[in-house]
Amino acid sequence: MISKLVKLRNNQIKPKWFLRQAGRHIPEYHEIRNRHENFLDFCLDETSIVDATLLPLKFYKIDAAILFSDILLLPHCLGQKVTFKKNLGPSLEEIEINEEFFKRKLSLDTLLPIKKAIYKIKKKISPLKELIGFCGAPWTLACYMIEGASSKDYTKTRKFLWNNEKTYFKLINKLTNHCVELLEYQYLAGATVLMIFDSWSNMIPDKYWVNFGIEPTKLIVDRLREKNVKCPIIGLPFKSGEMLIQYSYESSVDIVSIDWKTNLNWALKNINKNVVSQGNLDPVLLCCSNLSVIKDEVYRILNLTKDKCHIFNVGHGLTPDAQIKNVQYIIKLIDNYS
Ligand code: CP3
């Protein structure tokens, strides 16, 4: 870990990869997807995990593979039924956050195909490439578990928080412990970078931002370090606004993902200088038909990060209509930039 981060910090390498790079924008993905009716069966099938993880490396000269998985496997392993309805996103069974729930253990046995897939992926990729394992941050997991689905504003979750503050803290604490278990599991299997997705951190009421946006991630990272997990850890506090700065100082992550909405110039001036940055490119730009528009944006980021430790990436996941040729064009621009 350390040597790669030092190289990055000394600006000797300019790594690149793309959030959600294995997803639906690659036609071959659908062939793998169609092997399974249920999306979670896909996420728990060793061969399909290997195939989907390696797929983007066949199209793109990138520095990392991201494990094909999903953050909602964690609630699944806690016994909450998760289904994915076509074009509707995830649907989670309604659960009572009660004493019985707090006693539930995370079924790591369910994840055996992931461990086996990681072994296989590691054998197939160059040792110079990273394999990124990940989990959802406790706040984002709690949002899905309480709301039961994706939502624009997570009203049900926030109502639950304001009405049951103590229980909510207990839930976040439980999920924090499980995130440590899950990430350690992926690390021991062979993941070389870990990432914590707080995709809904923009829904945390201001009063609780430090409690739920920063402290759980800090606890996860600190506990992993106590367990001798030595790889770089990336945090994604999505659309966290000015809280990004405090997050960069206090969350213990090594790398902070900057979303597409954030002013990169401001972020680079203000974030903790010991933290590496990643991201900021608007993923929707990859659906754009005008190459000069794409070029301007890529150059804007390359120019701003010229003397910084920055991993080129999108500021949120690639969308299903992202164009393969645009991703390839961006990679060429980065490689030819000096
Ligand atoms: O490169 C990759 O695509 C790697 C795998 C990956 C998936 N999910 C596969 C997936 C990763 C890194 C995730 C993380 C994830 N999952 C997040 C955090 C990142 C983010 O986008 O903010 C979140 C919030 C989820 C929860 C989730 N899973 C949702 C909301 C959905 C439905 C819509 C969507 O975003 O795709 C999923 C399903 C899902 N996870 C798909 C894939 C490829 C699509 C399923 C399908 O093929 O129908």
Side-chain angles (χ1 to χ4, degrees):
M1 156 209 179
I2 303 299
S3 66
K4 273 184 193 148
L5 273 184
V6 168
K7 269 191 173 170
L8 191 57
R9 292 207 169 111
N10 291 341
N11 222 4
Q12 288 167 314
I13 44 173
K14 272 276 174 220
K16 58 203 164 304
W17 66 280
F18 295 85
L19 291 168
R20 309 288 301 266
Q21 64 194 20
R24 295 158 290 177
H25 80 290
I26 303 179
E28 284 82 345
Y29 164 81
H30 299 279
E31 287 168 27
I32 309 172
R33 175 71 183 92
N34 289 337
R35 294 178 197 160
H36 311 275
E37 207 177 302
N38 184 334
F39 180 68
L40 283 194
D41 290 341
F42 174 6
C43 293
L44 291 169
D45 181 85
E46 186 186 329
T47 309
S48 297
I49 299 169
V50 175
D51 293 349
T53 303
L54 297 178
L55 187 61
L57 301 185
K58 291 187 188 147
F59 290 84
Y60 308 132
K61 223 176 92 215
I62 41 184
D63 300 286
I66 180 155
L67 178 69
F68 193 86
S69 192
D70 198 87
I71 64 163
L72 299 178
L73 271 181
L74 195 150
H76 169 75
C77 289
L78 273 179
Q80 184 175 19
K81 193 162 188 268
V82 183
T83 47
F84 288 83
K85 298 193 181 115
K86 251 207 165 97
N87 304 323
L88 283 177
S91 166
L92 289 84
E93 163 201 17
E94 193 158 340
I95 46 162
E96 288 246 11
I97 314 286
N98 54 18
E99 280 314 307
E100 179 275 322
F101 171 80
F102 284 114
K103 284 190 192 131
R104 291 190 195 182
K105 294 206 158 49
L106 192 69
S107 156
L108 286 175
D109 290 348
T110 311
L111 304 180
L112 192 62
I114 297 184
K115 189 193 270 186
K116 289 186 177 164
I118 293 178
Y119 291 154
K120 283 202 177 146
I121 296 162
K122 291 278 295 211
K123 279 195 193 136
K124 291 191 178 185
I125 62 172
S126 151
L128 296 173
K129 292 195 196 285
E130 306 293 350
L131 173 60
I132 304 173
F134 65 89
C135 71
W139 167 266
T140 289
L141 291 171
C143 281
Y144 281 109
M145 291 173 77
I146 296 171
E147 204 78 19
S150 299
S151 158
K152 272 201 193 95
D153 48 18
Y154 286 90
T155 332
K156 190 175 166 193
T157 308
R158 290 187 287 123
K159 267 187 203 155
F160 183 88
L161 163 61
W162 291 113
N163 281 315
N164 309 277
E165 186 193 73
K166 248 180 146 171
T167 310
Y168 206 96
F169 269 94
K170 226 173 137 185
L171 172 63
I172 292 290
N173 185 36
K174 179 174 173 62
L175 294 173
T176 300
N177 296 337
H178 295 320
C179 288
V180 174
E181 284 179 85
L182 183 61
L183 291 178
E184 188 191 20
Y185 185 88
Q186 296 175 13
Y187 174 76
L188 292 176
T192 58
V193 174
L194 297 171
M195 178 149 180
I196 304 167
F197 283 101
D198 215 347
S199 307
W200 293 108
S201 60
N202 55 333
M203 294 294 150
I204 307 176
D206 190 49
K207 175 183 170 190
Y208 294 108
W209 221 95
V210 173
N211 301 116
F212 299 142
I214 295 179
E215 279 168 4
T217 296
K218 178 179 166 42
L219 270 172
I220 294 169
V221 179
D222 292 351
R223 292 220 191 114
L224 287 170
R225 296 303 181 219
E226 281 163 23
K227 287 168 171 282
N228 223 12
V229 170
K230 291 196 164 131
C231 69
I233 300 179
I234 311 173
L236 176 139
F238 191 61
K239 292 191 191 163
S240 50
E242 72 213 30
M243 293 311 289
L244 177 75
I245 308 308
Q246 196 173 344
Y247 181 97
S248 75
Y249 279 95
E250 294 176 7
S251 68
S252 295
V253 298
D254 304 291
I255 301 165
V256 72
S257 239
I258 299 175
D259 63 71
W260 54 269
K261 187 81 182 66
T262 297
N263 181 295
L264 185 59
N265 198 15
W266 166 83
L268 293 171
K269 275 194 186 130
N270 292 291
I271 57 170
N272 179 354
K273 299 288 177 284
N274 295 319
V275 162
V276 168
S277 56
Q278 163 183 290
N280 193 238
L281 190 78
D282 183 355
V284 173
L285 189 72
L286 290 149
C287 320
C288 181
S289 52
N290 187 336
L291 287 187
S292 74
V293 174
I294 297 179
K295 189 174 175 180
D296 286 351
E297 261 310 277
V298 171
Y299 268 70
R300 183 183 67 81
I301 294 178
L302 288 172
N303 289 336
L304 278 171
T305 58
K306 204 177 162 113
D307 305 309
K308 309 268 188 222
C309 322
H310 185 80
I311 299 170
F312 199 95
N313 209 321
V314 269
H316 200 207
L318 294 188
T319 54
D321 51 350
Q323 300 291 307
I324 292 177
K325 64 173 181 16
N326 287 346
V327 181
Q328 288 168 335
Y329 176 63
I330 286 177
I331 292 170
K332 221 193 249 162
L333 289 176
I334 302 165
D335 287 346
N336 292 338
Y337 184 83
S338 55

